């Protein structure tokens, strides 16, 4: 290292080239080996080269000789082809200065080297000299950036005594720069320079510069936002600075932006603790015991795949990843075999059971076949890491939507229809469960059959039940004084398609063709002719023309998942019923495309008061969500949200703090309720606001 130092001071071109190139390589590859305390002569030698940068003040200029013999220097050759001041020799000297500055910059990243440089007044003077070089010289851009980086590292160890300090003034001059890199370095260096100084140096910063920095926090630039907030925190640490800005800074707008930043890049997490809300106990719903029934259109798509791709797609359609879930291997294989058994008879081949189990890891990377030993010593073969889905998922990753129309009558089965889109579900409800007055309600055996063929699920036929008296509710025929339900249309004129669906606010719901009251819904059969022959004949649903119910209005009831909104008397206004049913319909993005290994949103359980924690489908559901912002390795708040909260606390301590934060307590409490890392800091801020209010009063 002594030879390197001597080579730098020798001013011999070859020796300096070798020495500086060796130091540049060492400072980049092994910076920990470069210690200025071990080699006391190294730092002064590099600073000496940096101190010679003043000779480049006129670089990138041109000189001209006038007619009277005078030499004129200008920044532009004016098209006269003047002689450039930067000769080849000057360019080589600048390269050596840049290499010395780069070595100092890399070495200053080490705090020990930065402290060593801060003790040298010659080094600080050289940095000031470089920072005050003309800013419009393209050849000096690299040198200026290196010096700003050096100042950023050594600023923590400097103690300027006043705002007239040469280094502080040099840095303050760059706060108006339009260069993003220069502005970020200058803001960061000033914030570090004044952090350990008791004197209020920042009061000397121009008010227009402060206003510009306040505006910059609106940009979507995390690095620039962070350094601007660091500067504002130091600036507002002195309450008198807020008063000095006057009307140049819109502090009320700044406060609003700071409150917005309290949840900057917050991540939402569902709360897992159970609590009593509105007499409904939130508890986790048990996973389904069986995979969902697949609609026929999805089955046909699966049949188009060869094995083992068909098995893979079937697993992803019926199962989802769950670290705590498991399925027995025999149950998984039997479910697959049963689903495609009828097509095996037609010549389709299924994947053998052993290969099917091995293929599970292809469908779900985190799943694994395991053998569990039960307490009695028996062995249980399971697939760990998956569970059945609530509703099937299409090959495009879209979740089917399940109809949850049920009934209070034990004789009326729950509707098990599933549809590929919200509009198909809505059309199904209007046609089957809330038909127009002129349409008879279908039998339970025809509920799933009246859905489109593309979404009908294959199941065993249900024997015909007694005539329905409500929309989806079976009962005994009413007495002479009982009101007529939509199962028995009376002398009511059939509404037009416009009258049926206007004001439904379902822009993507397809128009439904009016169903004739004289016809019955024919089941859609995708099975064989033999199975069709066993299907019971439809029962006529239209009562005789002389029925005693002809003059009675049709009453509608909502049986979505046991809803009792219109019980026990129902409502005669079908539009009102449709508007209510739309509160049960899932959001439009419920079945948006998901990765095959994503968890599907679970549905509501029953109307007995049990809800799931992570569902947001129905209006009765309660969703508890926390929004956590950045934390350090100790779990403490850090980053932009914390700095924003600290700036708000500084503002609250100023004379105008009460006026600026008046009426914002509720908003702050709302942030504290969902942002756990910032909760204590916001509580301190609220205490300062309350203390300031009491002091003023």
């Amino acid at each position: 290292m002594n030879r390197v130092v001597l080579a730098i001071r020798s001013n011999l071109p070859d020796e300096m080239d070798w020495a500086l190139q060796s130091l540049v390589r060492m400072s980049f590859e092994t910076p920990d080996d470069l210690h200025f305390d071990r080699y006391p002569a190294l730092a002064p030698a590099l600073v000496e080269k940096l101190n010679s940068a003043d000779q480049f003040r006129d670089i990138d200029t041109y000189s001209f000789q006038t007619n009277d013999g005078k030499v004129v220097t200008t920044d532009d050759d004016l098209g006269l082809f003047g002689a450039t001041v930067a000769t080849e020799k000057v360019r080589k000297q600048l390269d050596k200065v840049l290499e010395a500055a780069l070595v100092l910059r890399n070495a200053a990243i080490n705090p020990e080297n930065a402290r060593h440089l801060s003790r040298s007044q010659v080094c600080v003077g050289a940095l000031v000299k470089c920072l005050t070089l003309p800013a419009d010289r393209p050849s000096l851009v690299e040198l200026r950036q290196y010096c700003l980086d050096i100042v950023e590292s050594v600023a923590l160890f400097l103690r300027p005594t006043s705002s007239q300090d040469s280094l502080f003034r040099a840095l303050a001059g760059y706060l108006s720069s339009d260069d993003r890199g220069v502005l970020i370095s200058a803001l960061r260096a000033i914030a570090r320079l004044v952090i350990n100084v008791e004197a209020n140096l920042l009061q000397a910063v121009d008010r227009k510069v402060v206003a510009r920095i306040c505006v910059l926090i609106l940009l979507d630039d995390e690095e620039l936002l962070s350094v601007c907030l660091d500067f504002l925190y130091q600036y507002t640490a002195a309450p008198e600075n807020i008063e000095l800005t006057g009307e140049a800074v819109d502090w009320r707008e700044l406060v609003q932006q700071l409150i917005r930043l309290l949840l900057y890049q917050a991540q939402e997490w569902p709360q897992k603790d159970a609590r009593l809300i509105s007499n409904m106990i939130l508890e986790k719903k048990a996973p389904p015991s069986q995979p969902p029934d697949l609609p026929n259109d999805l089955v046909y798509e699966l049949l188009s795949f060869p094995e083992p791709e068909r098995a893979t797609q079937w697993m992803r359609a019926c199962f989802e990843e769950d670290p705590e879930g498991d399925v027995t291997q025999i149950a998984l294989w039997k479910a697959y075999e049963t689903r495609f058994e009828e097509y095996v008879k037609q010549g389709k081949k299924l994947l053998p059971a052993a290969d099917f189990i091995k293929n599970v890891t292809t469908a779900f990377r985190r799943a694994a076949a395991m053998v569990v030993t039960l307490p009695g010593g028996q062995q249980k073969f399971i697939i760990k890491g998956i569970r059945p889905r609530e509703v099937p998922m299409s090959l495009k990753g879209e979740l089917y939507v399940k109809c949850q129309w049920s009934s209070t009558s034990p004789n009326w089965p729950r509707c098990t229809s599933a549809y590929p889109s919200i509009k198909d579900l809505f059309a199904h409800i209007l046609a089957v469960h809330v038909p127009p007055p002129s349409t008879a309600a279908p039998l339970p055996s025809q509920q799933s059959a009246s859905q489109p063929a593309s979404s009908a699920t294959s199941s065993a036929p249900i024997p015909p039940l007694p005539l329905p008296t409500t929309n989806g509710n079976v009962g005994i025929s009413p007495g002479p004084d009982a009101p007529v339900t939509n199962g028995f249309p009376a002398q009511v004129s059939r509404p037009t398609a416009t009258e049926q669906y206007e004001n439904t606010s379902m822009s993507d719901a397809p128009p439904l063709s009016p169903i004739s009251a004289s016809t019955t819904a024919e089941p859609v059969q995708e099975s064989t002719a033999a199975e069709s022959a066993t299907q019971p004949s439809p029962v006529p649903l239209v009562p005789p023309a002389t029925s005693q119910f002809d003059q009675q209005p049709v009453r509608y009831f909502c049986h979505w998942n046991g809803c009792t909104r219109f019980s026990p008397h129902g409502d005669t206004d079908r539009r009102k019923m449709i508007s209510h049913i739309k509160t049960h319909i899932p959001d439009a993005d419920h079945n948006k495309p998901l990765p095959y290994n994503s968890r599907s949103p679970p549905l509501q359980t029953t109307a007995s008061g049990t809800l799931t924690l992570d569902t947001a489908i129905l209006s009765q559901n309660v969703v508890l969500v926390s929004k956590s912002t950045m934390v350090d390795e100790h779990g403490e708040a850090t980053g932009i949200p914390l700095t924003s909260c600290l700036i708000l606390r500084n503002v609250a301590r100023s004379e105008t703090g009460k006026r600026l934060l008046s009426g914002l307590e509720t908003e702050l409490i709302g942030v504290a309720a969902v942002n756990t890392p910032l909760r204590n800091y916001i509580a301190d801020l609220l205490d300062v606001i309350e203390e300031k209010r009491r002091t003023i009063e």
Side-chain angles (χ1 to χ4, degrees), residues 11 22 289 486 544:
N11 288 330
S22 300
S289 58
N486 61 315

Side-chain angles (χ1 to χ4, degrees), residues 192-255:
R192 295 185 178 188
L193 188 65
V194 303
I195 191 171
N196 295 319
V197 179
E198 296 182 0
N200 184 11
L201 304 184
L202 295 180
Q203 67 179 349
V205 178
D206 193 321
R207 292 180 298 175
K208 294 182 180 180
V209 173
V210 179
R212 179 172 179 260
I213 294 174
C214 293
V215 173
L216 290 176
I217 68 174
L218 299 175
L219 299 178
D220 186 17
D221 188 330
E222 183 175 356
E223 186 178 8
L224 181 59
L225 175 59
S226 179
V227 296
C228 287
L229 292 177
D230 288 340
F231 175 86
L232 290 175
Y233 171 71
Q234 297 298 333
Y235 188 83
T236 56
E240 59 270 19
N241 289 345
I242 299 178
E243 312 300 333
L244 287 175
T245 55
E247 298 181 355
V249 177
D250 188 351
W251 288 101
R252 182 167 292 277
E253 176 63 23
L254 177 63
V255 167

Side-chain angles (χ1 to χ4, degrees), residues 141 144-145 148-149 152 174-188 212 216 219-228:
V141 171
R144 179 175 61 247
Q145 190 61 53
L148 286 172
D149 292 343
E152 182 181 333
Y174 287 103
L175 296 182
S176 301
S177 175
D178 294 330
D179 188 309
R180 176 182 177 275
V182 171
L183 181 60
I184 289 177
S185 297
L187 285 169
R188 189 179 289 123
R212 179 172 179 260
L216 290 176
L219 299 178
D220 186 17
D221 188 330
E222 183 175 356
E223 186 178 8
L224 181 59
L225 175 59
S226 179
V227 296
C228 287

Side-chain angles (χ1 to χ4, degrees), residues 457-598:
T457 56
S458 60
S459 59
I462 303 174
L465 298 175
L467 291 178
T469 61
T470 63
N471 52 318
N473 195 6
V474 178
I476 302 175
S477 298
D481 300 329
V484 175
T485 65
N486 61 315
F488 285 84
Q491 295 177 355
V492 181
S493 60
R494 177 166 52 187
T496 64
T498 304
E499 293 173 341
Q500 289 182 26
Y501 307 112
E502 68 179 344
N503 300 325
T504 61
S505 298
M506 294 289 289
S507 59
D508 53 354
L512 301 178
S513 301
I515 304 175
S516 174
S518 62
T519 60
T520 57
E522 291 293 335
V524 178
Q525 294 296 332
E526 298 293 345
S527 57
T528 61
E531 292 175 335
S532 299
T534 62
Q535 188 74 5
S537 301
V539 179
L541 298 178
V542 182
T546 59
S547 173
Q548 59 181 337
F549 306 116
D550 286 350
Q551 303 300 325
Q552 298 296 333
V554 179
R555 292 190 175 274
Y556 296 95
F557 295 83
C558 178
H559 295 305
W560 184 278
N561 205 35
C563 175
T564 58
R565 170 67 175 82
F566 296 95
S567 298
H569 304 296
D571 198 292
T572 59
D573 189 347
R574 183 172 181 261
R575 294 181 181 178
K576 181 178 179 181
M577 177 63 62
I578 293 175
S579 298
H580 165 73
I581 290 175
K582 283 186 292 185
T583 65
H584 295 309
I585 298 296
D587 295 333
D589 60 347
H590 168 69
N591 63 335
K592 61 185 179 181
L594 297 172
Y596 72 88
N597 58 347
S598 295

